Amino acid sequence: MTITGFDSTGQSTAENDLSRGRVAADDDLDAELIALGSSGTVVTRATTSAAREAVDEQVIRLRWRRLLTWRDVVAVGTFVVFAVMLTLPLWLNLDHELRDDPQDQAFFEWMLAHGARVLTDGVYPFFSDRMNYPDGVNMMANTSVLAVSLPLTPITLLFGPHVAFNVFLTGALAFTGASWYLVLSRRFVTSRLAAWVGALFCTFAPSMVSHAGGHPNIVSQFLVPLIIWRTLELRVRGRALRNGLILAGLLIWQAFINLEILFMTAVGLGLFCAVMAVVRRRAHRGDFLPFVRALGVTAAVTLAVLAYPLSVQFFGPQSYQGLAEFVRNFGADLASFAAYSRHSMAGETAIASRLTQNAAEENAFFGWGLIVLFLGLLVWLRRSRAVLTLGGIAILFAAMSLGPRIVLNGVDTGIPGIWALLHRIPVLDSAVPTRWAMAIAPIVGIVLALGVQRAADMMRSQPASRGPVRVAMITAVAMALVPLIPRPMATVQMDPVPEFVTTGAWRDYVDDRHTMVTLPLPDSSYPDPLRWTATTGQDLRIAGAYALLPNQNPQDPSDRTAMFSPPWRPTSGLVASIKQGNPIPEITDERREMTLADLRFWRAGVVVLTPQSHDIELLRTMSDLLGFRPTWIGGAWVWDVRELVDDPDTVLTGGEPY
């Protein structure tokens, strides 16, 4: 078996059998991995590039002619079943939302509506003023998932963005599992069982299940195995243009799903290829130039296509420069690597809560069983420099994930981590350090697949050891993976979209010159208005936002780090304070003047309050500020403020406006 599916002769893995004694393990990547076990007959190295290319073509035809067997269909089917089982609570209760991260669910429903609007109305895809009016939202800087929202447009239009989100999340897991299985079984190992075990972990690792609780863009990793495969194929001679274009297409596709996953994949692949180029430099000098040529094609095409979108992301309106300092300090607790996620069968919420920032960021949580198995496999497969390189990258990613300062069991040890040297570097300053632990899962999955393959080959080549090897491998894998079996996703009933929105009554107040202002304005604790505007196909424009937006600090104009909400304004701050249960301050004419200025800034046509906690206090406060009481329409309290906003001479006092 090889990392690419072919050995240095150009033969497929099924056509080679090199015993340990015959492997040139010092400088042949393919031979190292073949030594882990294959079947067939020994073939000699091809001496000409023409012969190698002819064999390559034949092998490709034979391999893809057997594209899917019944075993493959069953394996892929299991990933669909597991994805549905994990997300089943969302499907059984369409009036529910994710319990741990409802704000991101509402955000992605809004993004799905944006993608549909791009196709139906032809709106500009990289910026939107449908929320955070008048400043708007930079879509490229906010993981707009255009590569998913555009294809899902028919579902969004027919069934709504809420159902489209369920399809997005379930499909992301199912396609990721199928992709890992097919790539592993075609290019990494010959055993279907080994490929299935590796793909199972890559897809349903604790970090993947954690992010499935609100980040479907992050669990949409079905392109990652394809990118890995096609990157390693760049070294094939005579195909620089074709291989470069294929990889470029995959990179561009992934860029419009999630750039963070693309970046982590690129870093891991770059390190792997660099190390293997050094250790194989003598015996495989001919691989370097074809790889560089194909990589040049990939870089040129990718940069040409992404140049404009990336310029919008980094320099366009509402762009930001790195994440806030407190986010850049989010590191993985060192103890979390040996613990179990709250989403796993063996996990406990109390322990997991102490070791992570929130339920959607449990990026490590491998458990002692898997750590021991992974280290054991590295020792067992130590003859392969490729495997040792993968192990080294995993350890590096683990160290990076600890953040600027190492934390152990919730206590800051004061020991600086290697991220302290990296987190201020451009691009890296937009990465959340704890998520580097998530990048370890694919490495573990690949090593698991290689380990199961080695065990299968031992049982085939040494019948006498079949029983002990089978028992040992099944026991080790079960002890490592069974505690990590994920629980179905936790959901809660969501607040319904008010009839004021669903019936279109809002159209009497909101037009091209006016917006809706909700109480409170949408933010991470109150994302419901995002769902309202998504339900209308984004015809409804709102003030406020839950999105990554640049900080606008008057005391430090140079600070353009990202915030998760618009800059503070007097009215939004007052409403948020009351919503949190703080006392209502004295309503003075100065406060009324600031409120009127805010409404004019937002171009408000209507102010809306739905039933919620502290709604009585919010109703009284806004009525005192505006000088009149609202009207109950379609399940919401409604203040018509168009005359106040449109007439520049209007002044608010303690009585009626005049």
Side-chain angles (χ1 to χ4, degrees):
M1 107 197 89
T2 69
I3 202 83
T4 63
F6 300 94
D7 74 358
S8 55
T9 69
Q11 304 294 320
S12 71
T13 56
E15 296 169 336
N16 296 271
D17 185 12
L18 300 180
S19 63
R20 284 189 177 183
R22 303 192 58 173
V23 174
D26 288 340
D27 50 19
D28 192 337
L29 165 63
D30 299 311
E32 291 175 21
L33 295 177
I34 294 168
L36 299 179
S38 312
S39 61
T41 59
V42 178
V43 294
T44 60
R45 183 182 303 274
T47 57
T48 67
S49 60
R52 178 174 180 172
E53 291 174 12
V55 173
D56 284 348
E57 291 290 350
Q58 180 181 5
V59 169
I60 290 173
R61 286 196 299 270
L62 290 173
R63 181 170 294 279
W64 292 108
R65 191 174 299 164
R66 298 180 289 111
L67 184 61
L68 286 178
T69 67
W70 69 267
R71 291 183 179 87
D72 297 326
V73 173
V74 171
V76 170
T78 60
F79 292 110
V80 176
V81 171
F82 293 160
V84 171
M85 291 177 61
L86 188 64
T87 60
L88 192 60
L90 287 172
W91 288 108
L92 293 179
N93 305 282
L94 291 179
D95 60 343
H96 279 212
E97 63 185 0
L98 294 168
R99 181 193 65 189
D100 297 326
D101 198 358
Q103 62 270 26
D104 280 320
Q105 179 176 355
F107 172 82
F108 282 107
E109 289 181 18
W110 189 88
M111 285 295 182
L112 289 166
H114 171 72
R117 188 164 170 260
V118 169
L119 287 184
T120 57
D121 297 350
V123 300
Y124 182 60
F126 303 141
F127 187 84
S128 176
D129 67 351
R130 298 293 100 175
M131 68 172 166
N132 192 39
Y133 188 84
D135 293 331
V137 177
N138 187 317
M139 305 300 282
M140 282 302 299
N142 275 276
T143 187
S144 60
V145 295
L146 287 168
V148 176
S149 63
L150 296 179
L152 285 181
T153 292
I155 294 176
T156 304
L157 295 177
L158 288 173
F159 304 103
H162 189 66
V163 172
F165 175 88
N166 293 353
V167 174
F168 182 8
L169 181 58
T170 306
L173 293 167
F175 278 106
T176 298
S179 180
W180 271 113
Y181 169 78
L182 292 173
V183 171
L184 286 173
S185 64
R186 266 61 180 175
R187 298 299 179 187
F188 283 68
V189 296
T190 56
S191 167
R192 295 296 192 263
L193 177 62
W196 184 81
V197 171
L200 189 69
F201 183 80
C202 289
T203 307
F204 298 102
S207 58
M208 289 286 284
V209 176
S210 172
H211 283 284
H215 303 149
N217 61 320
I218 289 180
V219 299
S220 295
Q221 297 187 22
F222 52 87
L223 294 179
V224 171
L226 298 175
I227 291 172
I228 293 173
W229 163 39
R230 296 313 306 180
T231 299
L232 297 173
E233 285 291 293
L234 294 181
R235 65 193 178 97
V236 176
R237 297 179 180 88
R239 299 199 181 95
L241 181 60
R242 188 191 70 170
N243 288 341
L245 289 175
I246 291 174
L247 180 58
L250 294 172
L251 298 180
I252 294 166
W253 189 358
Q254 177 62 44
F256 290 105
I257 297 177
N258 184 264
L259 278 168
E260 188 174 21
I261 294 299
L262 177 59
F263 178 66
M264 291 179 177
T265 303
V267 171
L269 271 172
L271 291 172
F272 180 84
C273 291
V275 172
M276 298 316 300
V278 172
V279 301
R280 304 172 73 234
R281 64 187 182 280
R282 294 181 179 177
H284 294 271
R285 294 176 181 174
D287 287 349
F288 180 74
L289 287 180
F291 184 91
V292 171
R293 291 193 191 99
L295 186 62
V297 173
T298 298
V301 174
T302 302
L303 292 176
V305 174
L306 294 181
Y308 177 70
L310 291 179
S311 69
V312 173
Q313 174 174 346
F314 292 106
F315 307 107
Q318 292 300 102
S319 60
Y320 52 84
Q321 298 173 355
L323 298 175
E325 188 73 25
F326 77 95
V327 179
R328 297 206 300 265
N329 289 331
F330 280 175
D333 192 303
L334 185 59
S336 68
F337 285 87
Y340 292 102
S341 165
R342 77 188 76 193
H343 307 290
S344 300
M345 288 299 181
E348 296 183 16
T349 300
I351 295 176
S353 297
R354 188 179 72 248
L355 301 178
T356 190
Q357 288 78 26
N358 56 66
E361 294 290 349
E362 296 181 2
N363 295 298
F365 294 89
F366 296 102
W368 275 116
L370 184 60
I371 291 176
V372 171
L373 176 59
F374 180 67
L375 295 177
L377 289 174
L378 293 182
V379 174
W380 193 30
L381 307 177
R382 65 188 179 277
R383 292 176 61 86
S384 168
R385 290 185 176 180
V387 171
L388 292 181
T389 301
L390 290 174
I393 294 172
I395 294 172
L396 174 62
F397 283 174
M400 293 170 65
S401 74
L402 297 177
R405 301 175 73 86
I406 297 176
V407 175
L408 178 63
N409 279 318
V411 178
D412 188 343
T413 64
I415 301 174
I418 63 173
W419 192 252
L421 304 175
L422 304 173
H423 77 291
R424 296 188 185 278
I425 298 175
V427 180
L428 288 178
D429 62 3
S430 294
V432 184
T434 177
R435 291 184 179 176
W436 287 101
M438 174 180 61
I440 300 172
I443 297 174
V444 174
I446 292 171
V447 174
L448 276 175
L450 295 174
V452 175
Q453 176 72 61
R454 166 64 75 86
D457 291 341
M458 285 185 63
M459 288 187 289
R460 182 175 60 250
S461 61
Q462 303 175 28
S465 65
R466 182 172 302 170
V469 171
R470 178 186 289 115
V471 171
M473 182 53 70
I474 292 177
T475 301
V477 172
M479 291 180 64
L481 299 187
V482 168
L484 301 180
I485 294 176
R487 296 169 173 163
M489 307 189 72
T491 64
V492 294
Q493 183 146 4
M494 63 183 180
D495 292 331
V497 178
E499 291 183 5
F500 179 72
V501 173
T502 58
T503 61
W506 61 271
R507 296 182 185 275
D508 294 335
Y509 307 88
V510 178
D511 51 33
D512 291 339
R513 297 185 301 111
H514 297 96
T515 66
M516 175 187 290
V517 173
T518 63
L519 300 182
L521 276 77
D523 57 16
S524 59
S525 62
Y526 183 62
D528 289 7
L530 274 67
R531 185 171 285 126
W532 300 359
T533 182
T535 301
T536 69
Q538 291 195 349
D539 290 340
L540 172 61
R541 186 170 55 192
I542 59 174
Y546 169 60
L548 286 171
L549 302 166
N551 188 13
Q552 297 179 20
N553 184 358
Q555 298 179 343
D556 185 8
S558 63
D559 183 6
R560 298 281 294 177
T561 56
M563 302 189 304
F564 291 92
S565 59
W568 179 90
R569 297 194 69 87
T571 304
S572 61
L574 172 62
V575 171
S577 175
I578 296 172
K579 176 68 175 179
Q580 293 169 2
N582 295 319
I584 301 175
E586 180 184 359
I587 303 301
T588 62
D589 286 346
E590 288 75 16
R591 287 191 179 275
R592 295 186 180 95
E593 181 180 349
M594 289 188 291
T595 296
L596 183 56
D598 287 341
L599 294 176
R600 286 172 175 165
F601 173 80
W602 292 319
R603 296 298 303 168
V606 64
V607 178
V608 176
L609 171 65
T610 57
Q612 56 189 283
S613 61
H614 302 289
D615 53 358
I616 299 300
E617 294 89 339
L618 290 172
L619 187 150
R620 290 174 178 171
T621 301
M622 185 54 61
S623 296
D624 286 347
L625 288 168
L626 297 179
F628 66 94
R629 294 183 60 82
T631 303
W632 179 258
I633 304 175
W637 292 106
V638 175
W639 289 267
D640 184 353
V641 296
R642 287 173 293 177
E643 292 186 4
L644 301 180
V645 170
D646 294 343
D647 185 355
D649 297 325
T650 299
V651 177
L652 291 178
T653 65
E656 295 290 330
Y658 65 96

